[in-house]
């Protein structure tokens, strides 16, 4: 199946050919001891229109479950959309996606349908065969209607392993190892989020993997926010510009003045860390985790602090600086809790 799915062009019907050949072979060996798992009976026809019976007890009992299903459906759908939007370079309207998802589930509920969301396997298959517009949805719906009415019996001997192989060959192109290498080079926390999402999806499935990925991403964001960058600024010679002295060695601190730039909003998660940074800037000899970290990264921050922490700095003699003024640059502080 894998060889067949490696088709020479998108127009080559590799999936249909694989299904036909595998069904034929399974029919010949259906009474053999190989114990091949088949699709089996597929119900014929369409479900009938029926208004749901709504009651207070039913709504209360389903409230928690529907909230979880709705959240997961939206997360999965919007994640799939963004993956393919990035791959094929088009924009995404999240509100429009939410409205479309809600409309599909509302109409489907009148026919007893399962809750719908974006499908990674189907989307990957559509992209693999060259689908680029919504016309493929109309064609797919029409083919499904014809099959449900007249051809359900033809899928009885279809091996499930063949379906899995076709989906696998379509999804394998979505695993971008080059992106993982770039994340490892640029940002280790982002690479950790990618790795956790990938492994949890492989081990537990798409839905559970998505939950783990979102949870891990939130945890990394909170951790980053709890230890924001606090840069020590110095004046560039011959200009009125102040830059992070960790990245601009030629920048010099103003005598008696320490200028700190806080590169995040101030809230309960980082107030203690920021307070330690401020104390380490004005109290000589302060030894803390914050003192050893602030100024080590930032908007251009890639290097470490050059010695302005704990009261030391550009005093001309390598001695301890006497600080009488602490100036805060809060231009990057968008909110203060």
């Amino acid at each position: 199946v894998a060889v067949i799915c490696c088709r020479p062009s998108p127009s080559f019907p590799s999936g249909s050919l694989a299904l036909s050949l595998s069904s034929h072979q399974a029919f010949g060996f259906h009474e053999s001891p190989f114990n091949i798992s088949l699709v089996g009976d597929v119900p014929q026809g369409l479900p009938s229109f029926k208004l749901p019976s709504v009651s207070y007890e039913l709504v209360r009992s389903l409230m928690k479950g529907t909230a979880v299903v709705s959240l997961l459906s939206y997360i999965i759908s919007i994640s799939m959309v963004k993956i393919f939007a990035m791959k094929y370079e088009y924009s995404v309207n999240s509100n429009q996606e939410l409205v479309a998802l809600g409309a599909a589930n509302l109409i489907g509920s009148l026919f007893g349908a399962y809750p719908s969301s974006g499908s990674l396997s189907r989307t990957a298959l559509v992209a693999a065969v060259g689908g680029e517009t919504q016309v493929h949805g109309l064609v797919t719906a029409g083919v499904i209607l014809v099959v449900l009415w007249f051809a359900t019996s033809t899928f009885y001997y279809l091996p499930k392993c063949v379906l899995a192989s076709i989906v696998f060959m379509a999804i394998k192109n979505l695993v971008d190892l080059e992106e993982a290498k770039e994340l490892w080079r640029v940002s280790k926390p982002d690479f950790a989020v990618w790795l956790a999402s990938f492994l949890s999806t492989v081990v537990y499935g798409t839905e559970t993997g998505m939950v783990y990925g979102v949870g891990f991403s939130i945890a990394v964001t909170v951790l980053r926010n709890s230890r924001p960058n606090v840069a020590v600024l110095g004046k560039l010679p011959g200009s009125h510009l102040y830059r992070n002295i960790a990245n601009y060695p030629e920048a010099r601190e103003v005598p008696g003045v320490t200028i700190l730039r806080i590169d995040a909003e101030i809230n309960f998660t980082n107030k203690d860390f920021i307070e330690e940074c401020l104390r380490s800037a004005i109290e000589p000899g302060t030894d803390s985790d914050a003192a050893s970290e602030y100024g080590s990264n930032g908007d251009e921050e890639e290097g470490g602090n050059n010695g302005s922490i704990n009261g030391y700095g550009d005093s001309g003699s390598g001695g301890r600086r006497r600080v009488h003024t602490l100036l805060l640059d809060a231009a990057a502080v968008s909110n203060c809790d």
Side-chain angles (χ1 to χ4, degrees):
V1 175
V3 174
I4 295 176
C5 288
C6 294
R7 60 193 180 283
S9 66
S11 59
F12 184 74
S14 56
S16 300
L17 181 59
L19 293 178
S20 300
L21 293 178
S22 59
S23 298
H24 181 270
Q25 293 297 322
F27 177 77
F29 292 99
H30 70 280
E31 295 181 353
S32 67
F34 294 112
N35 194 23
I36 301 175
S37 179
L38 306 177
V39 172
D41 291 318
V42 179
Q44 188 174 10
L46 296 175
S48 59
F49 176 84
K50 182 180 180 181
L51 291 175
S53 178
V54 181
S55 63
Y56 174 76
E57 290 76 13
L58 179 62
V59 172
R60 186 177 62 177
S61 63
L62 296 178
M63 185 64 69
K64 183 183 296 185
T66 53
V68 174
V69 171
S70 300
L71 180 61
L72 287 179
S73 297
Y74 180 71
I75 291 176
I76 293 172
S77 296
I78 199 65
S79 298
M80 296 302 101
V81 169
K82 290 185 176 181
I83 288 174
F84 286 92
M86 182 183 302
K87 184 178 180 64
Y88 295 102
E89 299 180 351
Y90 59 84
S91 59
V92 175
N93 187 333
S94 300
N95 291 332
Q96 184 178 1
E97 296 294 329
L98 181 60
V99 171
L101 189 62
N105 281 284
L106 179 62
I107 297 175
S109 65
L110 302 177
F111 295 89
Y114 284 105
S116 61
S117 65
S119 172
L120 175 60
S121 57
R122 284 196 58 201
T123 307
L125 284 173
V126 171
V129 299
E132 297 181 355
T133 67
Q134 293 300 322
V135 175
H136 79 270
L138 297 177
V139 176
T140 303
V143 173
I144 291 176
L145 287 176
V146 172
V147 170
L148 288 177
W149 276 329
F150 307 108
T152 56
S153 60
T154 59
F155 292 94
Y156 184 91
Y157 292 104
L158 177 61
K160 293 182 180 179
C161 59
V162 174
L163 293 176
S165 299
I166 294 175
V167 172
F168 174 79
M169 294 303 297
I171 292 179
K172 70 179 181 63
N173 296 324
L174 299 179
V175 181
D176 192 352
L177 296 180
E178 293 300 325
E179 180 184 2
K181 295 178 181 178
E182 182 69 13
L183 288 176
W184 173 261
R185 186 183 67 84
V186 175
S187 175
K188 300 300 188 296
D190 288 337
F191 174 80
V193 173
W194 182 92
L195 184 62
S197 302
F198 175 77
L199 294 179
S200 58
T201 301
V202 171
V203 175
Y204 300 109
T206 305
E207 292 80 3
T208 305
M210 201 73 66
V211 174
Y212 275 99
V214 171
F216 199 81
S217 179
I218 293 175
V220 170
T221 301
V222 172
L223 182 61
R224 280 175 168 172
N225 190 65
S226 66
R227 305 183 75 83
N229 175 70
V230 180
V232 182
L233 303 184
K235 185 178 181 181
L236 294 177
S239 70
H240 298 287
L241 301 177
Y242 290 82
R243 292 291 184 265
N244 183 0
I245 62 177
N247 297 294
Y248 292 84
E250 67 275 17
R252 293 292 179 264
E253 294 187 75
V254 179
V257 179
T258 294
I259 306 175
L260 298 182
R261 186 188 66 210
I262 303 173
D263 293 333
E265 67 175 45
I266 302 175
N267 52 46
F268 71 96
T269 64
N270 58 25
K271 68 179 185 65
D272 293 333
F273 179 82
I274 294 176
E275 182 179 358
E276 290 181 15
C277 291
L278 299 182
R279 290 184 181 277
S280 66
I282 61 178
E283 296 180 1
T286 300
D287 186 14
S288 65
D289 293 338
S292 64
E293 289 193 18
Y294 87 80
S296 62
N297 49 29
D299 58 303
E300 316 90 24
E301 277 71 9
E302 292 290 342
N305 195 293
N306 69 347
S308 62
I309 301 178
N310 300 333
Y312 294 97
D314 183 24
S315 62
S317 59
R320 200 179 290 270
R321 294 182 70 243
R322 299 179 61 87
V323 178
H324 57 73
T325 301
L326 176 64
L327 182 62
L328 297 182
D329 179 1
V333 179
S334 60
N335 181 56
C336 186
D337 190 354

